[in-house]
Amino acid sequence: MRVIVYGCGAMAELTRACLEADGIEVAAFTVEAAFRRTETHFGLPLLDFDDLAARFAPGSTDLVIAVGPHNDGGGPNSVRRRLVETAAARGFRLPGYRAGGARLPAGQPCDANRIVFDGVLVQPFATLGANVVLRHGAQISHHVVLEPDCFVATGAVIGGGARIGRGSFIGLNATVRDGVS
């Protein structure tokens, strides 16, 4: 598998390191023109997102949108949501990423730009919406529903039966009690 990583910040750098540790080749980085300050990023090409389709065939190119919980006026995670929608509209594949050290129940999808880092535990019957990011060591209990576009930071714990609304941000080491909506 070969992917392009959207981003040029710490989250993109971390995502690249994790992908490569799992044997996935990163071909390039891409960002919107306003954020492109150099031609390369960590030794790889840094491409203009608007020109990406001219260099890589959208229908056969995997793209991981590695952007944190940034807000562009549409609430937490709205930047990543907008980029995922744009990439999908342009025909890019958004396979997501599941680290080798993540524990998810059999059949739990990890596509649609779902990004699950090492040490994450997702119990059976939990539901992960599209474009959810689960950082290192997050624990998602049984029957939890994470609606699309959520970001769960390192060490956060979400108790059984909780429902986390679209675009929510759960911070470092936060605990969400069971049954909370």
Side-chain angles (χ1 to χ4, degrees), residues 26 62-63 65 72 81 87 91 97 103 105 126 130 153 161-162 179:
V26 176
D62 292 334
L63 185 59
I65 310 290
D72 63 1
R81 178 177 55 244
Y97 166 66
R103 292 181 50 199

Side-chain angles (χ1 to χ4, degrees), residues 89-116:
R90 292 178 183 172
F92 287 100
R93 298 185 312 203
L94 298 161
Y97 166 66
R98 174 187 176 170
R103 292 181 50 199
L104 281 74
Q108 178 68 254
C110 204
D111 57 357
N113 206 62
R114 291 174 183 92
I115 302 174
V116 181

Side-chain angles (χ1 to χ4, degrees), residues 15-134:
T15 301
R16 176 196 182 182
C18 292
L19 286 162
E20 290 179 344
D22 283 337
I24 299 168
E25 178 188 358
V26 176
F29 290 95
T30 186
V31 292
E32 292 170 304
F35 299 101
R36 189 168 174 253
R37 311 252 188 271
T38 64
E39 297 293 315
T40 62
H41 187 58
F42 294 103
L44 294 176
L46 178 60
L47 308 172
D48 184 327
F49 185 54
D50 289 330
D51 298 335
L52 193 60
R55 302 236 355 229
F56 293 88
S60 60
T61 300
D62 292 334
L63 185 59
V64 175
I65 310 290
V67 175
H70 302 291
N71 180 349
D72 63 1
N77 301 301
S78 58
V79 171
R80 196 174 65 258
R81 178 177 55 244
R82 176 180 53 79
L83 292 167
V84 164
E85 289 169 354
T86 301
R90 292 178 183 172
F92 287 100
R93 298 185 312 203
L94 298 161
Y97 166 66
R98 174 187 176 170
R103 292 181 50 199
L104 281 74
Q108 178 68 254
C110 204
D111 57 357
N113 206 62
R114 291 174 183 92
I115 302 174
V116 181
F117 287 97
D118 277 321
V120 168
L121 171 63
V122 177
Q123 292 183 341
F125 312 112
T127 302
L128 305 180
N131 196 29
V132 165
V133 175
L134 303 177

